[in-house]
Amino acid sequence: MVNGSTAASIAINVIQISALIVFAVMAIGYRMNHPPGSVAFQWDATTSEAYNYEFATTSQVVNGTATDVINPRCEHGAGGKARRRGEPVPYHVNYTTNDASGNFLAHPNAKSVVSVHNFNWMFVQATVAILILVGFESVTAMGGEARNAKRDVPIAVITSLLVQGAFCICSSISPQTTS
């Protein structure tokens, strides 16, 4: 016979694995439907909007290095590069493998996704994976101890997802310049 906490653990694990599969399918589908050179959207951090054209840039010296800097936006959105007829230049997807400093940016093929690129970052990723597993397992294991498991376990799972997601996002943010 399956008791309540075991049923909750099974349900949570099924939901977690299903979410991972759905996300993987979405990511693979996006990459397959947006080959290099195809027109796509790019996100503008200033306006929190997505635009399908290239942003206008100017060349400036930042920290002693010449770099392209995105022009300030007007109050109605991002300023785009314009062609002669006044039409914006479409933004084309570019999966550049490394930047000018040699930092990894994108996977060139499927084998690259599962291979180790930097030994030190392998340990970081393993640590994040363990923390995610521990977060879910702690919640599901203690579910039987909760007074109202049907209410408290889902709240705890969602909270652990939010905390882990925030940790992953904050640990992956790195300053990058775009052109």
Side-chain angles (χ1 to χ4, degrees), residues 10-82:
I10 291 170
I12 290 168
N13 286 324
V14 167
I15 292 168
Q16 177 186 4
I17 292 168
S18 300
L20 291 171
I21 291 170
V22 167
F23 177 76
V25 168
M26 288 172 52
I28 291 168
Y30 180 85
R31 183 69 184 261
M32 289 175 59
N33 291 318
H34 293 85
S38 64
V39 176
F41 285 95
Q42 64 176 337
W43 185 66
D44 177 25
T46 304
T47 61
S48 296
E49 297 289 333
Y51 300 95
N52 62 352
Y53 53 81
E54 290 185 24
F55 297 148
T57 59
T58 56
S59 185
Q60 295 179 2
V61 177
V62 178
N63 296 331
T65 305
T67 185
D68 288 335
V69 177
I70 297 173
N71 289 345
R73 313 295 194 275
C74 67
E75 60 188 35
H76 303 293
K81 287 184 182 177

Side-chain angles (χ1 to χ4, degrees), residues 115-129:
S115 64
V116 177
H117 300 283
N118 182 327
F119 193 68
N120 294 330
W121 285 108
M122 180 187 72
F123 285 109
V124 171
Q125 187 167 359
T127 303
V128 169

